[in-house]
Amino acid sequence: MMKKASALILRRGISTFQSKLCKNDSLFRVHPSVSQALAENRPVVALESTIITHGMPYPHNLSTAKEVEAIVRAEEATPATVGVIDGKIHVGLSSEELDHLARCKSSMKVSRRDLPYVISKGLSGGTTVSATMIAAHRAGISVFVTGGIGGVHRDGENSLDISADLTELGRTPIAVVSAGVKSILDIGRTLEFLETQGVCVATYGTSKNFPAFFSPQSGFISPYQVCNPEEAAKLISSTLSLGLQSGVLLAVPIPQEHAAAGQQIEQAIQTAVTEASAKGITGRDVTPFILQKVNELTEGKSLQANIALIRNNAKVGSQIACALSKEMNKRKLRNTSDHHGKKSESDVVVIGGINVDFIAKGKTQTLLFGQTNPGSVCQSFGGVGRNIADSLSRLGYKPLFISATGADSHSDAVLNYCKHMNTSGVARLQDQSTATYCAVITESGELSLGLGDMDVHQQITEHYVSQFEKQLSSATLVCLDGNIPVSTIDYVCSVAKKHNINVWYEPTDSEKACKPFLSDAWKSLSYSSPNLAELCTMNKTLGIQTPEVLPSSLDEVLSVAVALSRPLLEHLHCLVVTLGAHGVLLCGEHDTGSVNLQPRKQKNSCRCPDGGDPPGAKDRHLCPDGAPGCTDVPGISAPHRPCAYLRLCGSQ
């Protein structure tokens, strides 16, 4: 539990919405609504964009794209249309970005092979099935809805013209919901190729008939069949749990009321295929040409059928995504229950702040003060203590969270969001305002200005917390954040000392880091997670010399962090020192090639670890003065301390 908790503690009280799966980098842009939904384990449906750029004429393409997104939202899922804009892969598009792609005359059709070129040139384009699968999987999305997938082209046994969609399904673990394979392709060979790639194929509905886009029947049979969203979700969940690294193709027949025109459309397709062949049209240009030609020959009936099947796929795919979200959450709860057994729900207590956060993000790198800047504002819920309790709750623990809010609309909102947590220890005070925090950040995410109203945290008093002394005295772990009053920290530490309880202190910021160190309360702490500046504050408070300027190079940072950790390890069992881009330094007692995170019952006598460093980690031994492995920093005194062991866990 301690290893998981230390990894998931969020340092600032802004938000827990960012997930490592959907973390933006220089090439990917994940829309905030998508990031938030993924972090909250809510259903998300990926949508491709070649239907916008190459599948339909304007304005049908734009209206259809917006309508499909609306259908996804109506089913209580979050749409994530994928596209490439100016060399950046976007997972989730704004209305303006959708309109840009719909109107753009120079958009490229972007498959797996095209992604490097389009990105390197800073171009825009619509993503095909394969490229959309790559982006969706990168973001952590498990369900992707499209019209129809590509396949083996007619005469493909000679031309080897096989869509990258098929190989992508064989190497990317994502469920693709489509109306089968376009009827202009060789459906039989396509199914054979999917089998070779190890792709699980199932028809959705009452029949195993494999659909052919405009027609509910292709003359071929799917290997499997699922009747409803729940069965489909279990199939996808099993695939993901097995770790096969291959996808699932769910073939959804076109609604019966639109299938009647199928025969006329099929005849038009044959005519269009013949004309394409006569004109020498090949490769990626075939499908757009045929779809446009078929639309002309059927006087728009094929376009209507195309839109109808996409709407239906969006509805079915969203229902499957919702069922999958429930199924995955059930599995997590079962696994957690199996792992933790009958553990008490209140054996972990978290005491700290709870905030309503407002994040104002500018659309420019430089913000001009004194005037209105273009940007966006979103609300989220944070507070360091709340973030810790939230993380532990999502791990399957049910910590008792003790905090204070006002009796206002902000309190209603945040407590409603925290229904999955045990908030029975949160006081709602009539004469107080719920803590709020506003961060103004630049386009790149740099903080320009922060404003906070945190006065209510001073109401988390010793008197109030003492009402929960029974829970505190029986807890296996108590987590404190630096927002609470010094007297409350002293009280909790005294209870911890009396009952031999492990206490984790998250200092929150460099000004608040000193609180336990103003008295001997800090000697009752077992764990703490400061950054380098907060570690300096802790040492200064104890009267220990610290550097006037914090170092920047990795070697200097490590040397200072080592020296400043030594005095605290006299009583603390473990320090988790966060070093920004340099990574995280675990400081504690050496145990078989690593840092022992298990609580110690008594201090061990000084002993240095033997043997070489474990592979795959940068390790440093922390020993008394003069002993092998000792690291000293000029200008910082280093009295005799117990031996400790440090590991640099990695960057980011």
Side-chain angles (χ1 to χ4, degrees):
M1 181 187 75
M2 295 307 305
K3 290 180 180 178
K4 292 181 180 178
S6 64
L8 285 174
I9 286 177
L10 303 180
R11 298 207 42 80
R12 303 298 169 216
I14 294 179
S15 169
T16 62
F17 291 161
Q18 280 297 330
S19 153
K20 69 178 181 180
L21 288 175
C22 57
K23 185 179 180 180
N24 293 348
D25 60 23
S26 60
L27 303 180
F28 282 78
R29 296 288 184 270
V30 181
H31 194 276
S33 64
V34 176
S35 297
Q36 182 171 333
L38 290 168
E40 295 171 5
N41 297 317
R42 292 191 282 109
V44 178
V45 175
L47 303 166
E48 57 142 305
S49 52
T50 49
I51 192 172
I52 302 172
T53 58
H54 294 78
M56 294 181 183
Y58 184 85
H60 293 293
N61 55 354
L62 180 60
S63 60
T64 300
K66 290 185 175 181
E67 185 178 356
V68 168
E69 288 198 345
I71 291 171
V72 174
R73 293 188 183 96
E75 295 295 333
E76 299 185 346
T78 299
T81 302
V82 177
V84 182
I85 299 178
D86 297 332
K88 306 293 183 184
I89 301 173
H90 289 249
V91 182
L93 299 176
S94 65
S95 295
E96 294 79 10
E97 289 164 342
L98 279 174
D99 187 71
H100 170 75
L101 282 182
R103 292 176 180 271
C104 185
K105 302 293 186 182
S106 59
S107 290
M108 295 189 64
K109 190 174 183 180
V110 185
S111 184
R112 169 184 271 268
R113 73 161 190 184
D114 310 300
L115 280 171
Y117 179 80
V118 172
I119 289 171
S120 69
K121 294 293 186 179
L123 304 176
S124 299
T127 51
T128 65
V129 169
S130 63
T132 305
M133 289 177 69
I134 293 169
H137 176 58
R138 173 71 175 263
I141 301 170
S142 299
V143 178
F144 161 40
V145 167
T146 184
I149 66 167
V152 178
H153 282 251
R154 301 186 186 195
D155 196 38
E157 66 274 23
N158 296 315
S159 67
L160 297 182
D161 192 351
I162 301 171
S163 171
D165 298 352
L166 304 187
T167 50
E168 201 63 50
L169 274 162
R171 60 185 167 191
T172 303
I174 192 168
V176 178
V177 179
S178 79
V181 177
K182 299 179 179 74
S183 54
I184 60 176
L185 303 171
D186 188 328
I187 296 177
R189 284 189 170 88
T190 296
L191 290 172
E192 289 290 343
F193 194 89
L194 286 170
E195 180 183 355
T196 302
Q197 293 292 313
V199 179
C200 183
V201 179
T203 297
Y204 182 91
T206 59
S207 169
K208 277 191 174 183
N209 288 323
F210 187 80
F213 204 64
F214 291 121
S215 174
Q217 297 183 4
S218 65
F220 296 91
I221 302 297
S222 290
Y224 305 107
Q225 167 200 0
V226 290
C227 295
N228 52 51
E230 289 70 31
E231 287 189 9
K234 288 181 179 179
L235 175 62
I236 300 167
S237 177
S238 297
T239 303
L240 298 176
S241 298
L242 286 169
L244 297 178
Q245 300 305 309
S246 55
V248 176
L249 176 62
L250 296 172
V252 182
I254 188 172
Q256 196 60 42
E257 61 269 24
H258 295 282
Q263 186 62 36
Q264 179 186 355
I265 296 173
E266 284 298 328
Q267 292 174 356
I269 287 173
Q270 297 304 321
T271 302
V273 168
T274 302
E275 185 174 338
S277 178
K279 291 184 175 181
I281 297 173
T282 59
R284 66 171 61 198
D285 298 323
V286 172
T287 299
F289 173 82
I290 290 178
L291 291 178
Q292 182 177 354
K293 191 66 180 179
V294 169
N295 185 48
E296 294 173 4
L297 293 173
T298 60
E299 298 178 343
K301 289 183 181 179
S302 66
L303 179 59
Q304 295 172 12
N306 195 1
I307 294 174
L309 69 84
I310 292 169
R311 289 172 180 162
N312 186 58
N313 289 353
K315 182 176 181 179
V316 171
S318 300
Q319 293 171 350
I320 292 172
C322 291
L324 177 62
S325 177
K326 293 177 182 177
E327 176 68 19
M328 297 300 284
N329 287 332
K330 282 181 185 177
R331 289 201 176 202
K332 285 181 181 178
L333 288 174
R334 283 200 300 268
N335 292 339
T336 301
S337 177
D338 292 342
H339 181 69
H340 300 304
K342 297 181 179 179
K343 184 173 63 65
S344 167
E345 286 197 346
S346 58
D347 64 353
V348 179
V349 178
V350 179
I351 309 172
I354 186 169
N355 300 343
V356 176
D357 298 320
F358 297 92
I359 312 302
K361 184 176 183 179
K363 292 186 176 180
T364 57
Q365 182 56 39
T366 303
L367 298 178
L368 302 176
F369 289 90
Q371 67 183 64
T372 301
N373 292 262
S376 60
V377 180
C378 66
Q379 175 183 298
S380 59
F381 303 110
V384 173
R386 194 214 68 84
N387 289 350
I388 296 172
D390 189 358
S391 296
L392 289 170
S393 296
R394 294 179 190 277
L395 281 170
Y397 297 86
K398 285 292 183 182
L400 170 64
F401 180 42
I402 300 174
S403 188
T405 70
D408 49 25
S409 59
H410 287 324
S411 177
D412 293 337
V414 71
L415 291 177
N416 182 65
Y417 174 77
C418 296
K419 283 182 178 179
H420 62 292
M421 298 162 50
N422 179 4
T423 56
S424 59
V426 178
R428 299 190 69 186
L429 307 175
Q430 293 291 337
D431 56 344
Q432 296 288 328
S433 298
T434 300
T436 53
Y437 176 75
C438 179
V440 181
I441 60 178
T442 64
E443 184 182 27
S444 62
E446 293 294 323
L447 180 68
S448 290
L449 179 68
L451 295 172
D453 176 7
M454 308 291 185
D455 292 348
V456 71
H457 293 154
Q458 298 309 305
Q459 303 304 314
I460 310 173
T461 62
E462 173 186 353
H463 175 73
Y464 177 69
V465 173
S466 67
Q467 299 176 46
F468 303 95
E469 184 165 340
K470 181 179 179 181
Q471 291 92 326
L472 289 170
S473 60
S474 62
T476 58
L477 175 68
V478 176
C479 298
L480 307 175
D481 81 19
N483 289 305
I484 63 178
V486 173
S487 58
T488 305
I489 294 175
D490 291 346
Y491 164 72
V492 173
C493 288
S494 68
V495 174
K497 181 179 180 181
K498 180 179 178 181
H499 296 280
N500 195 27
I501 299 165
N502 292 292
V503 179
W504 187 305
Y505 180 61
E506 162 52 54
T508 308
D509 64 38
S510 57
E511 292 185 2
K512 298 171 184 175
C514 66
K515 289 185 177 181
F517 299 87
L518 296 171
S519 67
D520 284 343
W522 74 276
K523 296 179 180 179
S524 298
L525 301 178
S526 300
Y527 306 91
S528 187
S529 43
N531 60 27
L532 198 55
E534 293 160 354
L535 189 58
C536 281
T537 297
M538 293 173 176
N539 279 263
K540 283 181 181 178
T541 308
L542 293 176
I544 299 171
Q545 184 180 354
T546 61
E548 294 183 5
V549 180
L550 292 180
S552 56
S553 71
L554 177 58
D555 285 342
E556 291 177 339
V557 165
L558 287 176
S559 295
V560 170
V562 166
L564 296 180
S565 296
R566 297 176 68 177
L568 305 190
L569 290 171
E570 177 82 20
H571 294 281
L572 271 74
H573 177 60
C574 181
L575 281 170
V576 182
V577 185
T578 59
L579 302 175
H582 293 305
V584 176
L585 195 66
L586 285 181
C587 310
E589 292 181 347
H590 175 257
D591 182 19
T592 62
S594 186
V595 176
N596 179 15
L597 294 177
Q598 295 299 319
R600 62 183 177 191
K601 295 182 179 178
Q602 59 184 15
K603 296 189 181 78
N604 295 325
S605 59
C606 177
R607 52 187 174 86
C608 293
D610 4 343
D613 291 342
K618 295 181 180 178
D619 302 330
R620 296 206 176 191
H621 301 158
L622 180 59
C623 305
D625 289 21
C630 180
T631 303
D632 290 327
V633 180
I636 299 180
S637 59
H640 187 89
R641 301 295 180 196
C643 172
Y645 182 81
L646 296 98
R647 166 165 292 195
L648 183 63
C649 295
S651 61
Q652 303 303 329

